[in-house]
Amino acid sequence: METLHNYIDGSATAPAGGDYLETSNPYTQEAWGRIPRSQAVDADLAVAAARRAFISGPWARFTAPQRGAMLRKIADVIAENAEELAKIEVRDNGKTFKEMLGQVKRIPDWYQFYAGLADKINGSVLPTDRPDHMNYLRHEPLGVIAMVTPWNSPLMLLAWKLAPALAAGNTAVVKPSEYTSASALRFAELVGKAGLPAGVLNVVTGLGSEVGAALTNHPDVAKVAFTGGVAGGKAVYASAAAQMKPVSLELGGKSPNIVFDDANLENAARGVVGGIFGSGGQSCVAGSRALVHRSILDAFVARLVELTSKIRLGDPMASETDIGPVANKTQFDRIMTCIGWAREDGASLACGGEQVPDPRGGPGLFVAPTIFTGVDNSMRIAQEEVFGPVLSVIPFNDEADAVNIANDSAFGLGAGLWTRDVSRVHRMAGLLQAGSIWVNTYKVTSQISPFGGYKMSGLGREGGMEMIADYMQTKSVWLNLTDDVPYNFPL
Ligand code: NAD
């Protein structure tokens, strides 16, 4: 068993209370290590270190081009250590090595993009209606940013927050998921060795309800950037409101993948199957509702079932595996509960619907890719986020019907549209309530383009140029250009 430590002020730091949580490999279901079960006192230490680094450490004196250069170095560190970092992710979350390696190899793009922006955040001199005054704007970093991440794509979702935050000159305390803390700890150690000054990036591990709440509630934290479920997002938002803190929330989804009868149906079938079963459905943008035009329903479902039957479950490190185990037992139980709801509510099972034996012989955390047909959008399986390999097929009659069903959801993260009708594409892109619309493709994201949710899928965006403004605040400076100072200063 390995014992990991928090990373605070540039050093491995044991939790003050001496408590640890086991962390295990979801494929073998064996605990391989212990991570600190940190508490408020550990969050205090990390925030104090980040605050010192923000105010008086070398980082506070870094010029904008120097911050850009540091971000490029971080990009290089990730590229050089991609295999090791991807293996750490797989050991904790069970997603396939080929997926995690591909993901980790793309993470440098985020650091490179925001490195390029670091020295392009211009202040401005404004025209003035006060002839004797000059007015200019400064864009300043906020301070210590608390970053809370989930278990499905830990280092990537950290990059979405950390890259713009550092480019803007902030410092960070990260609370990774209790299931997948090892990668953030190793990443922090690597970038520390590469020259990121002590205190700029700190990592404290433990439970959301303990160190997570203490960190996001901390009065010296200037902003919280959270990715996770709706319950955690609401708790963070409520505590931030009490302290008037800005937050960004990237939460769940129940994204529709809408297939019209004029689409290239083979592409659409592949898009729908990949959209839900990629990452075993453990993706915030999983296309978990397939809305299919009634005229093609039977043939399309038959093709979905055929493609799904070819998905190979197994060892996530094996190159032939398409889907690894569910990331943890809690999530496995949640998926099985949701499958039970679909049965109870009268949906028809087209395939899957059960636990699959562990290829190693034991009762592993494998769920067969599952398709339900005959789903009404009001059923729990169509309204609740499963976060697992479960697809609900819902027929629709026409465009208006598709829009109504798609938007009849508490969530609004993504929506896929499969059609060759260009006018329909633009009509529907305007009407669908989702932060990302994918037309004849699915799940495309980029550091260049903002990503985020409508409705309960969250607040704010990650990615894109404007995003950096969310990690800054604007100061307006007024100068009197004369020697004539009035006795009073009317507003
Ligand atoms: P989760 O909400 O259980 O945990 C996410 C993180 O929040 C963890 O680090 C957890 O410890 C922490 N946390 C939980 N409660 C907290 C609290 N009260 N205060 C502070 N921190 C708290 O989510 P999860 O199960 O790890 O991840 C799955 C969820 O994340 C799904 O709902 C999924 O859709 C969502 N997600 C969203 C996106 C996105 O970009 N929109 C991306 C990935 C995952």
Side-chain angles (χ1 to χ4, degrees), residues 148-152 175 178 208 226-229 250-252 284 385 387:
V148 182
T149 53
W151 43 261
N152 60 338
K175 208 302 277 174
E178 48 274 36
F226 177 92
T227 300
E250 297 287 356
L251 307 178
C284 53
E385 183 183 45
F387 218 62

Side-chain angles (χ1 to χ4, degrees), residues 272-412:
V272 168
V273 168
I276 179 62
F277 298 128
S279 314
Q282 299 168 114
S283 162
C284 53
V285 289
S288 50
R289 291 183 297 155
L291 275 48
V292 181
H293 192 264
R294 210 173 276 282
S295 66
I296 53 164
L297 186 62
D298 292 346
F300 193 74
V301 169
R303 184 64 185 137
L304 292 182
V305 171
E306 196 178 359
L307 286 173
T308 302
S309 70
K310 298 190 177 128
I311 294 174
R312 293 158 302 188
L313 281 73
D315 179 351
M317 290 302 296
S319 59
E320 65 275 11
T321 299
D322 297 315
I323 303 181
V326 173
N328 53 68
K329 178 74 168 69
T330 310
Q331 188 56 26
F332 175 85
D333 291 341
R334 158 87 184 164
I335 296 169
M336 297 316 284
T337 300
C338 295
I339 288 174
W341 292 340
R343 293 180 196 270
E344 284 164 30
D345 292 351
S348 309
L349 187 66
C351 64
E354 69 213 343
Q355 181 174 14
V356 188
D358 180 344
R360 289 158 39 104
L365 300 178
F366 285 88
V367 177
T370 298
I371 300 180
F372 282 105
T373 57
V375 175
D376 183 276
N377 199 54
S378 62
M379 289 179 184
R380 287 172 288 179
I381 195 67
Q383 291 291 329
E384 299 276 341
E385 183 183 45
V386 177
F387 218 62
V390 183
L391 176 69
S392 296
V393 179
I394 305 169
F396 67 85
N397 298 320
D398 56 25
E399 206 174 295
D401 196 27
V403 170
N404 283 338
I405 297 170
N407 289 345
D408 177 19
S409 170
F411 295 107

Side-chain angles (χ1 to χ4, degrees), residues 95 147-154 156-157 160-161 175-181 204 206-217 224 226-237 239 249-254 281-286 328 330-331 385-387 411 413 451-453 456-458 462:
K95 284 165 78 168
M147 303 178 183
V148 182
T149 53
W151 43 261
N152 60 338
S153 298
M156 187 178 81
L157 295 170
W160 291 14
K161 299 161 182 54
K175 208 302 277 174
S177 166
E178 48 274 36
Y179 296 109
T180 56
S181 293
V204 287
L207 300 176
S209 55
E210 297 178 351
V211 68
L215 173 64
T216 54
N217 266 319
V224 182
F226 177 92
T227 300
V230 172
K234 280 184 181 173
V236 165
Y237 198 13
S239 72
L249 303 171
E250 297 287 356
L251 307 178
K254 196 72 205 174
Q282 299 168 114
S283 162
C284 53
V285 289
N328 53 68
T330 310
Q331 188 56 26
E385 183 183 45
V386 177
F387 218 62
F411 295 107
L413 196 55
F451 175 87
M456 295 299 274
S457 290
E462 294 192 320

